[in-house]
Amino acid sequence: MGSPRSGTRGALHARCSKLWGMFHVPSGMHTVLLLSTLAWLCYLGAWLLLDVSLGSHLQASHSYVATNWNSYYAGRRDTSNPSPRCCSADSCIQKDQGRYTILTTLRTDKYLPLLQELSCSLRKTNPKVSLTVMAVEGDLTSATQLEVKKHGSLLLVDNIQFANFKLDGRYMLNWVKIRVWEQVQWDGIIMIDVDVTVLGDLTHLFHLPADFAAVPDNGKVWNRYSALGKIQAGFIFLRPCKAVAQHMLQVVTDDPLLQFQYTNAEQDFFDWYFKYTRYTLPLEYNALPDRLVGNLTLGGVLPRVVHHTQFKPFKRVANAPGHQFLCSK
């Protein structure tokens, strides 16, 4: 992505060129003087606007530098910020009573078609696992709520909001995912984004000796897919624990930099929180269509979950990557 500096310059250069074309250009020295004066005025304006643009990005730059150069924000260390845990390793299996669900969030009526696609794929691949749809009171119309209940259970929770949250509003909606850790009526939850198609059985994940597992963000080349690379929060296995939920809410509220407002918000927070304790799942559990080679992941296997991050299923784009996997195709 181009910087604010290059974008401002390019736009103003185009406007200046158009302005010059409106003048009847005389010949000789007058031409040189006129064009030089216009160029000077236009690029003076460019730098003035650039100063305003840079000023508006100072806070973003500060946050970016702070979270990328301070080792504290690379990952939560238990020595400096210990987290409660309701189970770990084999104790998670020992406490397991076999209560599981696949959970997604729905924060807008607009995404109802995505839920219908997800539900269709789950009926084919994981018919014995319940689907839970989490929403906030007031998010959905009564008509949408009735449709949701045809596909699974509707779970209404309290919203999570932060003061002075600057990032795109849709990222603010995702913080409600912390509420999933409060749902202790289940022993294990697979939390998936609503814009996915499930192609394979997922039930074996409920028997992982872990309290958190996720897939590397295979849309980011620089991670090199290492176990400590950043995660993609569109597919997460977790074991609910109210104490963990409370702790996450406390630390992310007390330190606004942990809201990662200028990167990936809750996704980067979950990455930070579970950096050194998580299980890493292979790419097939959260495959991004534009990173597939044909129909296979970079590991050469068929995906179990396809995440439509770019071309949503309700946008019927011809030959869109990933749409060959749609349940309703």
Side-chain angles (χ1 to χ4, degrees):
M1 181 181 293
S3 67
R5 184 187 297 265
S6 61
T8 302
R9 284 178 175 172
L12 280 157
H13 178 75
R15 291 180 182 178
C16 288
S17 299
K18 184 177 180 181
L19 178 62
W20 295 339
M22 295 171 61
F23 284 84
H24 173 71
V25 181
S27 60
M29 185 60 70
H30 293 290
T31 301
V32 176
L33 290 174
L34 177 61
L35 293 181
S36 298
T37 302
L38 284 173
W40 184 83
L41 289 173
C42 280
Y43 286 100
L44 176 63
W47 283 108
L48 288 174
L49 284 177
L50 181 59
D51 287 341
V52 174
S53 177
L54 288 176
S56 66
H57 287 276
L58 282 176
Q59 186 176 3
S61 300
H62 168 73
S63 298
Y64 182 84
V65 170
T67 55
N68 279 273
W69 292 92
N70 187 333
S71 62
Y72 176 82
Y73 296 102
R76 182 189 58 81
R77 300 184 182 187
D78 204 64
T79 51
S80 58
N81 203 330
S83 167
R85 302 183 75 173
C86 290
C87 74
S88 63
D90 290 342
S91 69
C92 295
I93 302 297
Q94 295 165 1
K95 297 174 64 174
D96 195 317
Q97 300 179 44
R99 303 171 301 171
Y100 312 127
T101 193
I102 294 174
L103 183 147
T104 191
T105 58
L106 187 65
R107 300 297 311 269
T108 172
D109 298 323
K110 176 183 175 182
Y111 277 8
L112 179 59
L114 299 182
L115 175 65
Q116 293 167 332
E117 164 64 26
L118 170 62
S119 175
C120 174
S121 67
L122 285 173
R123 287 196 302 271
K124 291 183 177 181
T125 59
N126 294 265
K128 295 183 179 180
V129 185
S130 66
L131 174 62
T132 301
V133 182
M134 190 171 74
V136 171
E137 188 72 53
D139 277 352
L140 309 175
T141 64
S142 56
T144 297
Q145 291 189 36
L146 286 175
E147 180 63 24
V148 166
K149 292 175 182 177
K150 295 178 183 178
H151 300 275
S153 301
L154 177 62
L155 174 66
L156 296 177
V157 297
D158 293 333
N159 200 8
I160 293 177
Q161 292 183 310
F162 303 119
N164 302 315
F165 192 80
K166 301 291 193 306
L167 199 60
D168 187 321
R170 63 193 175 96
Y171 287 98
M172 187 69 245
L173 299 178
N174 290 335
W175 284 104
V176 77
K177 289 181 179 181
I178 291 178
R179 298 286 186 207
V180 179
W181 274 265
E182 299 174 345
Q183 310 310 314
V184 293
Q185 63 270 37
W186 290 293
D187 300 304
I189 295 176
I190 295 174
M191 176 172 62
I192 55 179
D193 283 357
V194 73
D195 58 343
V196 308
T197 299
V198 179
L199 304 176
D201 179 36
L202 302 177
T203 56
H204 52 282
L205 296 180
F206 292 120
H207 306 292
L208 283 175
D211 58 358
F212 184 92
V215 180
D217 189 352
N218 56 102
K220 291 183 173 62
V221 176
W222 297 113
N223 288 334
R224 300 181 183 274
Y225 311 114
S226 70
L228 292 182
K230 289 187 178 295
I231 64 167
Q232 216 291 341
F235 186 100
I236 289 174
F237 168 74
L238 64 97
R239 296 194 182 272
C241 177
K242 287 187 176 181
V244 169
Q246 292 169 357
H247 185 248
M248 285 196 289
L249 276 173
Q250 178 185 334
V251 296
V252 77
T253 302
D254 291 347
D255 186 352
L257 287 178
L258 287 175
Q259 296 167 19
F260 296 100
Q261 295 192 34
Y262 300 99
T263 49
N264 294 296
E266 97 295 342
Q267 177 169 292
D268 281 351
F269 174 71
F270 292 150
D271 175 75
W272 173 83
Y273 195 89
F274 295 101
K275 173 76 78 175
Y276 305 121
T277 60
R278 68 175 182 242
Y279 265 47
T280 299
L281 298 173
L283 300 182
E284 65 205 72
Y285 289 94
N286 193 1
L288 303 185
D290 60 333
R291 301 293 288 169
L292 295 175
V293 180
N295 287 337
L296 303 179
T297 69
L298 294 179
V301 298
L302 285 169
R304 289 178 181 266
V305 174
V306 174
H307 193 173
H308 307 284
T309 55
Q310 293 185 348
F311 298 98
K312 306 302 183 189
F314 57 73
K315 297 178 180 178
R316 295 294 179 174
V317 179
N319 301 316
H323 283 203
Q324 69 269 30
F325 298 111
L326 293 181
C327 176
S328 54
K329 185 174 176 63

